Amino acid sequence: MRDVTVRVVHDASLAAWFGGSLMGVIGLNGAAAQVRDETDRARVAAIGWSRWQPVNTVAAGAHVLAGIGITRANRGRIVSQKGVATVATSKAALTGLALAAHAYAAWLGNQVGDAGDAPVEGATEPAPETPESAAGPQQRLRVVQWTVPVLTGALVVLNAVMGEHQRPVPVARGVLDRLTPDR
């Protein structure tokens, strides 16, 4: 039962991290760009992101902790089944990159929020009169915010690949390939 719970936490937390990040980039930022007063747009986006950020951070942390548990439970397969170590390593690397992008996006968002009521086109689009203290972070935020759903989306794909590696035929084939590499 513990393994099932860890897998559910792993997958549900990744879904929240991926879905929340994607919704924020598309929905929240898009809605903030529609606010009539251009000096309120960045503030509205910052408020929305700050309300979601604790949930997103808990989701990312739960995903990492559950991933560690799954890795420990599958360490035998990682060593003995050909292909599993490569996917597990790729997942770990992508998770690290997603965490870094997540933290960097939060930091940039705080910088934009700290710039006050600067006029902006949208949450990540400066206006010509936007001060550099907000415009620079906004431009970087526009790119880095998209990296989180891209990387977490790739993790969703790798989770599916890992699930396929656990079917009986791929397990047997992977172990056989590991034992007889010249076949």
Side-chain angles (χ1 to χ4, degrees):
M1 185 63 170
R2 182 179 180 281
D3 285 348
V4 171
T5 302
V6 170
R7 288 181 195 286
V8 168
V9 169
H10 183 260
D11 292 350
S13 60
L14 178 58
W17 190 14
F18 167 71
S21 298
L22 186 61
M23 190 288 303
V25 171
I26 295 170
L28 179 57
N29 287 357
Q34 299 301 311
V35 171
R36 289 182 203 246
D37 185 342
E38 64 184 13
T39 62
D40 283 341
R41 292 175 184 157
R43 185 176 56 78
V44 167
I47 290 169
W49 277 106
S50 70
R51 290 182 61 94
W52 175 247
Q53 195 62 30
V55 174
N56 213 15
T57 299
V58 167
H63 177 72
V64 169
L65 292 175
I68 290 167
I70 289 170
T71 300
R72 290 180 71 191
N74 288 315
R75 62 186 174 269
R77 282 185 50 248
I78 291 169
V79 172
S80 63
Q81 186 180 346
K82 187 174 181 180
V84 175
T86 301
V87 177
T89 301
S90 298
K91 276 184 63 177
L94 284 176
T95 300
L97 290 171
L99 287 169
H102 174 92
Y104 186 50
W107 182 72
L108 288 171
N110 287 336
Q111 284 189 317
V112 172
D114 290 345
D117 292 335
V120 297
E121 295 294 323
T124 59
E125 296 86 23
E129 61 274 9
T130 303
E132 182 54 36
S133 62
Q138 271 190 306
Q139 291 164 337
R140 290 187 295 281
L141 189 57
R142 183 177 194 149
V143 173
V144 77
Q145 270 187 347
W146 276 103
T147 62
V148 177
V150 166
L151 292 169
T152 54
L155 287 169
V156 169
V157 171
L158 289 178
N159 272 351
V161 170
M162 287 296 274
E164 289 301 308
H165 278 269
Q166 291 182 322
R167 292 173 168 265
V169 171
V171 169
R173 189 179 307 124
V175 171
L176 185 61
D177 287 349
R178 176 73 71 193
L179 295 173
T180 58
D182 296 333
R183 307 188 303 127

Short mmCIF file of all heavy atoms in Angstrom, two decimals, residues 79-140:
data_model
loop_
_atom_site.label_atom_id
_atom_site.label_comp_id
_atom_site.label_asym_id
_atom_site.label_seq_id
_atom_site.Cartn_x
_atom_site.Cartn_y
_atom_site.Cartn_z
N VAL A 79 19.31 -0.97 -11.67
CA VAL A 79 20.59 -1.62 -11.92
C VAL A 79 20.46 -2.76 -12.91
O VAL A 79 21.30 -2.93 -13.80
CB VAL A 79 21.20 -2.11 -10.58
CG1 VAL A 79 22.43 -2.96 -10.82
CG2 VAL A 79 21.54 -0.93 -9.69
N SER A 80 19.41 -3.57 -12.78
CA SER A 80 19.34 -4.81 -13.55
C SER A 80 18.60 -4.73 -14.88
O SER A 80 18.84 -5.56 -15.75
CB SER A 80 18.71 -5.91 -12.70
OG SER A 80 17.38 -5.58 -12.37
N GLN A 81 17.72 -3.75 -15.05
CA GLN A 81 16.92 -3.70 -16.27
C GLN A 81 17.46 -2.64 -17.23
O GLN A 81 17.49 -1.46 -16.90
CB GLN A 81 15.46 -3.41 -15.94
CG GLN A 81 14.53 -3.48 -17.13
CD GLN A 81 13.09 -3.18 -16.74
OE1 GLN A 81 12.74 -3.17 -15.57
NE2 GLN A 81 12.27 -2.91 -17.73
N LYS A 82 17.88 -3.08 -18.38
CA LYS A 82 18.47 -2.17 -19.36
C LYS A 82 17.48 -1.06 -19.73
O LYS A 82 16.31 -1.32 -19.99
CB LYS A 82 18.87 -2.95 -20.62
CG LYS A 82 19.63 -2.12 -21.61
CD LYS A 82 20.12 -2.96 -22.77
CE LYS A 82 20.91 -2.10 -23.73
NZ LYS A 82 21.39 -2.87 -24.86
N GLY A 83 17.97 0.17 -19.76
CA GLY A 83 17.17 1.32 -20.14
C GLY A 83 16.56 2.08 -18.99
O GLY A 83 16.26 3.27 -19.12
N VAL A 84 16.36 1.41 -17.86
CA VAL A 84 15.71 2.06 -16.73
C VAL A 84 16.61 3.13 -16.10
O VAL A 84 16.15 4.22 -15.76
CB VAL A 84 15.25 1.02 -15.68
CG1 VAL A 84 14.68 1.70 -14.44
CG2 VAL A 84 14.21 0.09 -16.29
N ALA A 85 17.88 2.85 -15.98
CA ALA A 85 18.81 3.83 -15.39
C ALA A 85 18.87 5.10 -16.23
O ALA A 85 18.91 6.21 -15.68
CB ALA A 85 20.20 3.22 -15.23
N THR A 86 18.84 4.94 -17.54
CA THR A 86 18.88 6.12 -18.43
C THR A 86 17.65 7.00 -18.23
O THR A 86 17.77 8.22 -18.11
CB THR A 86 18.98 5.67 -19.90
OG1 THR A 86 20.16 4.88 -20.05
CG2 THR A 86 19.03 6.86 -20.84
N VAL A 87 16.48 6.38 -18.17
CA VAL A 87 15.25 7.15 -17.98
C VAL A 87 15.23 7.76 -16.58
O VAL A 87 14.86 8.93 -16.41
CB VAL A 87 14.00 6.29 -18.24
CG1 VAL A 87 12.73 7.08 -17.96
CG2 VAL A 87 13.99 5.78 -19.68
N ALA A 88 15.64 7.00 -15.57
CA ALA A 88 15.66 7.52 -14.20
C ALA A 88 16.62 8.70 -14.07
O ALA A 88 16.30 9.70 -13.41
CB ALA A 88 16.04 6.41 -13.22
N THR A 89 17.77 8.60 -14.71
CA THR A 89 18.74 9.70 -14.68
C THR A 89 18.19 10.93 -15.42
O THR A 89 18.34 12.06 -14.94
CB THR A 89 20.07 9.25 -15.31
OG1 THR A 89 20.56 8.12 -14.57
CG2 THR A 89 21.11 10.35 -15.29
N SER A 90 17.54 10.69 -16.54
CA SER A 90 16.93 11.80 -17.29
C SER A 90 15.85 12.48 -16.45
O SER A 90 15.76 13.72 -16.44
CB SER A 90 16.32 11.29 -18.59
OG SER A 90 17.32 10.74 -19.42
N LYS A 91 15.03 11.68 -15.77
CA LYS A 91 14.00 12.26 -14.91
C LYS A 91 14.61 13.10 -13.79
O LYS A 91 14.12 14.19 -13.49
CB LYS A 91 13.14 11.15 -14.29
CG LYS A 91 12.03 10.66 -15.16
CD LYS A 91 11.16 9.64 -14.45
CE LYS A 91 10.49 10.26 -13.27
NZ LYS A 91 9.59 9.37 -12.55
N ALA A 92 15.67 12.59 -13.19
CA ALA A 92 16.33 13.34 -12.11
C ALA A 92 16.90 14.66 -12.62
O ALA A 92 16.75 15.70 -11.98
CB ALA A 92 17.43 12.49 -11.47
N ALA A 93 17.53 14.62 -13.79
CA ALA A 93 18.10 15.84 -14.37
C ALA A 93 17.01 16.84 -14.72
O ALA A 93 17.13 18.04 -14.40
CB ALA A 93 18.93 15.49 -15.60
N LEU A 94 15.93 16.38 -15.36
CA LEU A 94 14.83 17.29 -15.70
C LEU A 94 14.17 17.86 -14.46
O LEU A 94 13.78 19.03 -14.44
CB LEU A 94 13.79 16.57 -16.56
CG LEU A 94 14.15 16.34 -18.02
CD1 LEU A 94 13.07 15.53 -18.71
CD2 LEU A 94 14.37 17.65 -18.74
N THR A 95 14.04 17.03 -13.42
CA THR A 95 13.45 17.53 -12.17
C THR A 95 14.32 18.63 -11.58
O THR A 95 13.81 19.67 -11.13
CB THR A 95 13.27 16.38 -11.16
OG1 THR A 95 12.41 15.39 -11.74
CG2 THR A 95 12.67 16.87 -9.86
N GLY A 96 15.63 18.43 -11.58
CA GLY A 96 16.54 19.47 -11.08
C GLY A 96 16.42 20.76 -11.88
O GLY A 96 16.38 21.85 -11.31
N LEU A 97 16.37 20.63 -13.20
CA LEU A 97 16.21 21.82 -14.05
C LEU A 97 14.87 22.50 -13.80
O LEU A 97 14.80 23.74 -13.74
CB LEU A 97 16.34 21.44 -15.53
CG LEU A 97 17.72 21.03 -16.00
CD1 LEU A 97 17.66 20.47 -17.43
CD2 LEU A 97 18.68 22.21 -15.93
N ALA A 98 13.81 21.71 -13.65
CA ALA A 98 12.48 22.29 -13.38
C ALA A 98 12.46 23.01 -12.03
O ALA A 98 11.87 24.09 -11.91
CB ALA A 98 11.41 21.21 -13.43
N LEU A 99 13.11 22.43 -11.03
CA LEU A 99 13.19 23.09 -9.72
C LEU A 99 13.95 24.41 -9.81
O LEU A 99 13.55 25.41 -9.22
CB LEU A 99 13.85 22.17 -8.70
CG LEU A 99 13.04 20.99 -8.21
CD1 LEU A 99 13.92 20.03 -7.42
CD2 LEU A 99 11.86 21.46 -7.37
N ALA A 100 15.05 24.39 -10.55
CA ALA A 100 15.84 25.62 -10.72
C ALA A 100 15.02 26.68 -11.45
O ALA A 100 15.02 27.86 -11.06
CB ALA A 100 17.13 25.31 -11.47
N ALA A 101 14.33 26.29 -12.51
CA ALA A 101 13.49 27.24 -13.26
C ALA A 101 12.36 27.76 -12.38
O ALA A 101 12.04 28.96 -12.41
CB ALA A 101 12.93 26.57 -14.52
N HIS A 102 11.77 26.89 -11.59
CA HIS A 102 10.70 27.27 -10.66
C HIS A 102 11.20 28.34 -9.68
O HIS A 102 10.55 29.37 -9.49
CB HIS A 102 10.25 26.00 -9.93
CG HIS A 102 9.27 26.19 -8.84
ND1 HIS A 102 7.92 26.12 -9.04
CD2 HIS A 102 9.43 26.43 -7.51
CE1 HIS A 102 7.29 26.31 -7.90
NE2 HIS A 102 8.19 26.50 -6.96
N ALA A 103 12.35 28.08 -9.07
CA ALA A 103 12.91 29.03 -8.10
C ALA A 103 13.29 30.35 -8.77
O ALA A 103 13.04 31.43 -8.23
CB ALA A 103 14.13 28.41 -7.41
N TYR A 104 13.90 30.27 -9.96
CA TYR A 104 14.31 31.48 -10.67
C TYR A 104 13.09 32.31 -11.09
O TYR A 104 13.09 33.53 -10.96
CB TYR A 104 15.16 31.10 -11.88
CG TYR A 104 15.77 32.27 -12.62
CD1 TYR A 104 16.47 33.27 -11.95
CD2 TYR A 104 15.66 32.37 -14.00
CE1 TYR A 104 17.04 34.34 -12.63
CE2 TYR A 104 16.23 33.44 -14.69
CZ TYR A 104 16.91 34.41 -14.00
OH TYR A 104 17.47 35.47 -14.68
N ALA A 105 12.03 31.64 -11.54
CA ALA A 105 10.81 32.35 -11.92
C ALA A 105 10.21 33.05 -10.71
O ALA A 105 9.76 34.20 -10.81
CB ALA A 105 9.80 31.39 -12.54
N ALA A 106 10.20 32.39 -9.56
CA ALA A 106 9.67 33.02 -8.35
C ALA A 106 10.50 34.24 -7.97
O ALA A 106 9.96 35.30 -7.60
CB ALA A 106 9.65 32.01 -7.21
N TRP A 107 11.80 34.12 -8.08
CA TRP A 107 12.69 35.24 -7.75
C TRP A 107 12.46 36.42 -8.71
O TRP A 107 12.35 37.56 -8.28
CB TRP A 107 14.14 34.77 -7.80
CG TRP A 107 15.14 35.81 -7.43
CD1 TRP A 107 15.39 36.31 -6.19
CD2 TRP A 107 16.03 36.47 -8.31
NE1 TRP A 107 16.39 37.25 -6.25
CE2 TRP A 107 16.81 37.37 -7.54
CE3 TRP A 107 16.28 36.39 -9.68
CZ2 TRP A 107 17.78 38.19 -8.10
CZ3 TRP A 107 17.25 37.19 -10.24
CH2 TRP A 107 17.98 38.09 -9.44
N LEU A 108 12.37 36.12 -10.00
CA LEU A 108 12.10 37.18 -10.98
C LEU A 108 10.74 37.81 -10.75
O LEU A 108 10.58 39.03 -10.85
CB LEU A 108 12.18 36.62 -12.41
CG LEU A 108 13.56 36.28 -12.93
CD1 LEU A 108 13.46 35.55 -14.26
CD2 LEU A 108 14.42 37.53 -13.08
N GLY A 109 9.74 36.98 -10.43
CA GLY A 109 8.42 37.52 -10.15
C GLY A 109 8.43 38.47 -8.96
O GLY A 109 7.75 39.51 -8.98
N ASN A 110 9.22 38.15 -7.96
CA ASN A 110 9.36 39.06 -6.81
C ASN A 110 10.00 40.37 -7.23
O ASN A 110 9.62 41.44 -6.74
CB ASN A 110 10.16 38.41 -5.69
CG ASN A 110 9.38 37.33 -4.97
OD1 ASN A 110 8.15 37.34 -4.97
ND2 ASN A 110 10.08 36.40 -4.37
N GLN A 111 10.99 40.31 -8.12
CA GLN A 111 11.62 41.54 -8.61
C GLN A 111 10.63 42.41 -9.35
O GLN A 111 10.61 43.63 -9.17
CB GLN A 111 12.80 41.21 -9.53
CG GLN A 111 14.03 40.75 -8.81
CD GLN A 111 15.21 40.67 -9.75
OE1 GLN A 111 15.09 40.20 -10.88
NE2 GLN A 111 16.35 41.14 -9.30
N VAL A 112 9.80 41.80 -10.19
CA VAL A 112 8.78 42.57 -10.92
C VAL A 112 7.80 43.17 -9.92
O VAL A 112 7.45 44.35 -10.03
CB VAL A 112 8.05 41.68 -11.95
CG1 VAL A 112 6.88 42.42 -12.57
CG2 VAL A 112 9.02 41.22 -13.04
N GLY A 113 7.38 42.37 -8.94
CA GLY A 113 6.46 42.88 -7.92
C GLY A 113 7.06 44.00 -7.10
O GLY A 113 6.36 44.95 -6.74
N ASP A 114 8.36 43.92 -6.83
CA ASP A 114 9.03 44.96 -6.04
C ASP A 114 9.16 46.28 -6.79
O ASP A 114 9.43 47.32 -6.18
CB ASP A 114 10.42 44.49 -5.60
CG ASP A 114 10.36 43.39 -4.55
OD1 ASP A 114 9.27 43.19 -3.96
OD2 ASP A 114 11.40 42.74 -4.32
N ALA A 115 8.98 46.24 -8.11
CA ALA A 115 9.10 47.47 -8.91
C ALA A 115 7.90 48.39 -8.72
O ALA A 115 7.90 49.51 -9.23
CB ALA A 115 9.28 47.11 -10.39
N GLY A 116 6.90 47.92 -8.01
CA GLY A 116 5.74 48.77 -7.71
C GLY A 116 4.74 48.80 -8.85
O GLY A 116 4.65 47.88 -9.66
N ASP A 117 3.99 49.89 -8.92
CA ASP A 117 2.92 50.02 -9.90
C ASP A 117 3.44 50.58 -11.22
O ASP A 117 2.99 51.62 -11.70
CB ASP A 117 1.81 50.91 -9.35
CG ASP A 117 1.08 50.25 -8.19
OD1 ASP A 117 1.09 49.01 -8.12
OD2 ASP A 117 0.50 50.98 -7.36
N ALA A 118 4.38 49.86 -11.81
CA ALA A 118 4.93 50.29 -13.10
C ALA A 118 3.94 49.98 -14.21
O ALA A 118 3.28 48.94 -14.19
CB ALA A 118 6.25 49.57 -13.36
N PRO A 119 3.83 50.82 -15.20
CA PRO A 119 2.97 50.52 -16.34
C PRO A 119 3.59 49.39 -17.17
O PRO A 119 4.78 49.40 -17.46
CB PRO A 119 2.93 51.83 -17.13
CG PRO A 119 4.16 52.56 -16.73
CD PRO A 119 4.50 52.11 -15.34
N VAL A 120 2.78 48.37 -17.48
CA VAL A 120 3.25 47.23 -18.26
C VAL A 120 2.15 46.83 -19.26
O VAL A 120 0.98 47.15 -19.07
CB VAL A 120 3.60 46.03 -17.36
CG1 VAL A 120 4.74 46.36 -16.41
CG2 VAL A 120 2.40 45.54 -16.58
N GLU A 121 2.55 46.13 -20.29
CA GLU A 121 1.59 45.58 -21.25
C GLU A 121 0.92 44.34 -20.66
O GLU A 121 -0.25 44.08 -20.90
CB GLU A 121 2.29 45.21 -22.57
CG GLU A 121 2.85 46.40 -23.32
CD GLU A 121 1.76 47.34 -23.84
OE1 GLU A 121 0.68 46.85 -24.26
OE2 GLU A 121 1.98 48.56 -23.82
N GLY A 122 1.70 43.53 -19.96
CA GLY A 122 1.19 42.30 -19.35
C GLY A 122 2.14 41.85 -18.26
O GLY A 122 3.14 42.52 -17.98
N ALA A 123 1.85 40.71 -17.68
CA ALA A 123 2.67 40.20 -16.57
C ALA A 123 4.13 40.04 -16.95
O ALA A 123 5.02 40.26 -16.13
CB ALA A 123 2.11 38.86 -16.09
N THR A 124 4.39 39.66 -18.20
CA THR A 124 5.77 39.45 -18.65
C THR A 124 6.11 40.28 -19.87
O THR A 124 7.09 40.00 -20.55
CB THR A 124 6.01 37.95 -18.95
OG1 THR A 124 5.10 37.53 -19.97
CG2 THR A 124 5.84 37.10 -17.71
N GLU A 125 5.31 41.29 -20.14
CA GLU A 125 5.56 42.17 -21.30
C GLU A 125 5.66 43.62 -20.84
O GLU A 125 4.65 44.22 -20.47
CB GLU A 125 4.44 42.05 -22.34
CG GLU A 125 4.30 40.70 -22.98
CD GLU A 125 3.41 39.77 -22.15
OE1 GLU A 125 2.58 40.26 -21.37
OE2 GLU A 125 3.60 38.56 -22.27
N PRO A 126 6.86 44.17 -20.86
CA PRO A 126 6.99 45.57 -20.45
C PRO A 126 6.39 46.51 -21.50
O PRO A 126 6.30 46.17 -22.68
CB PRO A 126 8.51 45.78 -20.35
CG PRO A 126 9.12 44.68 -21.16
CD PRO A 126 8.14 43.56 -21.19
N ALA A 127 5.98 47.66 -21.04
CA ALA A 127 5.54 48.74 -21.93
C ALA A 127 6.76 49.62 -22.21
O ALA A 127 7.77 49.52 -21.50
CB ALA A 127 4.44 49.56 -21.25
N PRO A 128 6.69 50.48 -23.21
CA PRO A 128 7.84 51.35 -23.48
C PRO A 128 8.24 52.20 -22.26
O PRO A 128 9.42 52.48 -22.07
CB PRO A 128 7.35 52.25 -24.62
CG PRO A 128 6.29 51.44 -25.31
CD PRO A 128 5.63 50.62 -24.22
N GLU A 129 7.28 52.55 -21.42
CA GLU A 129 7.59 53.38 -20.25
C GLU A 129 7.87 52.58 -18.97
O GLU A 129 8.06 53.16 -17.90
CB GLU A 129 6.46 54.41 -20.01
CG GLU A 129 5.11 53.81 -19.73
CD GLU A 129 4.30 53.48 -21.00
OE1 GLU A 129 4.82 53.53 -22.11
OE2 GLU A 129 3.13 53.14 -20.83
N THR A 130 7.93 51.25 -19.08
CA THR A 130 8.24 50.42 -17.91
C THR A 130 9.68 50.66 -17.49
O THR A 130 10.59 50.59 -18.32
CB THR A 130 8.05 48.92 -18.24
OG1 THR A 130 6.71 48.71 -18.70
CG2 THR A 130 8.32 48.05 -17.02
N PRO A 131 9.93 50.95 -16.20
CA PRO A 131 11.31 51.14 -15.74
C PRO A 131 12.12 49.85 -15.89
O PRO A 131 11.58 48.75 -15.80
CB PRO A 131 11.17 51.54 -14.28
CG PRO A 131 9.78 51.23 -13.89
CD PRO A 131 8.96 51.10 -15.13
N GLU A 132 13.41 50.00 -16.11
CA GLU A 132 14.28 48.84 -16.31
C GLU A 132 14.25 47.88 -15.13
O GLU A 132 14.41 46.67 -15.30
CB GLU A 132 15.71 49.30 -16.60
CG GLU A 132 16.69 48.18 -16.88
CD GLU A 132 16.25 47.23 -18.00
OE1 GLU A 132 15.65 47.68 -18.98
OE2 GLU A 132 16.51 46.01 -17.87
N SER A 133 14.02 48.40 -13.92
CA SER A 133 13.97 47.53 -12.74
C SER A 133 12.86 46.48 -12.85
O SER A 133 12.94 45.43 -12.23
CB SER A 133 13.78 48.36 -11.47
OG SER A 133 12.55 49.07 -11.52
N ALA A 134 11.84 46.75 -13.65
CA ALA A 134 10.77 45.78 -13.89
C ALA A 134 10.90 45.16 -15.28
O ALA A 134 10.62 43.97 -15.45
CB ALA A 134 9.40 46.44 -13.75
N ALA A 135 11.30 45.94 -16.27
CA ALA A 135 11.34 45.45 -17.66
C ALA A 135 12.33 44.30 -17.85
O ALA A 135 12.00 43.30 -18.50
CB ALA A 135 11.68 46.60 -18.61
N GLY A 136 13.52 44.41 -17.28
CA GLY A 136 14.52 43.35 -17.42
C GLY A 136 14.04 42.03 -16.82
O GLY A 136 14.03 41.00 -17.51
N PRO A 137 13.60 42.06 -15.56
CA PRO A 137 13.07 40.82 -14.98
C PRO A 137 11.85 40.29 -15.73
O PRO A 137 11.69 39.08 -15.88
CB PRO A 137 12.71 41.21 -13.54
CG PRO A 137 13.58 42.38 -13.23
CD PRO A 137 13.76 43.11 -14.54
N GLN A 138 10.99 41.18 -16.22
CA GLN A 138 9.82 40.73 -16.98
C GLN A 138 10.24 39.96 -18.23
O GLN A 138 9.66 38.91 -18.53
CB GLN A 138 8.98 41.92 -17.43
CG GLN A 138 7.94 42.36 -16.46
CD GLN A 138 7.03 43.38 -17.11
OE1 GLN A 138 7.48 44.39 -17.63
NE2 GLN A 138 5.75 43.11 -17.07
N GLN A 139 11.21 40.48 -18.95
CA GLN A 139 11.64 39.82 -20.18
C GLN A 139 12.25 38.45 -19.89
O GLN A 139 12.01 37.49 -20.62
CB GLN A 139 12.62 40.71 -20.94
CG GLN A 139 11.93 41.94 -21.50
CD GLN A 139 12.90 43.03 -21.92
OE1 GLN A 139 14.02 43.10 -21.44
NE2 GLN A 139 12.45 43.90 -22.81
N ARG A 140 13.02 38.33 -18.82
CA ARG A 140 13.59 37.03 -18.44
C ARG A 140 12.49 36.10 -17.93
O ARG A 140 12.49 34.90 -18.23
CB ARG A 140 14.69 37.21 -17.40
CG ARG A 140 15.94 37.87 -17.98
CD ARG A 140 17.10 37.89 -17.00
NE ARG A 140 16.88 38.69 -15.81
CZ ARG A 140 16.97 40.02 -15.75
NH1 ARG A 140 17.31 40.71 -16.82
NH2 ARG A 140 16.76 40.66 -14.62
#
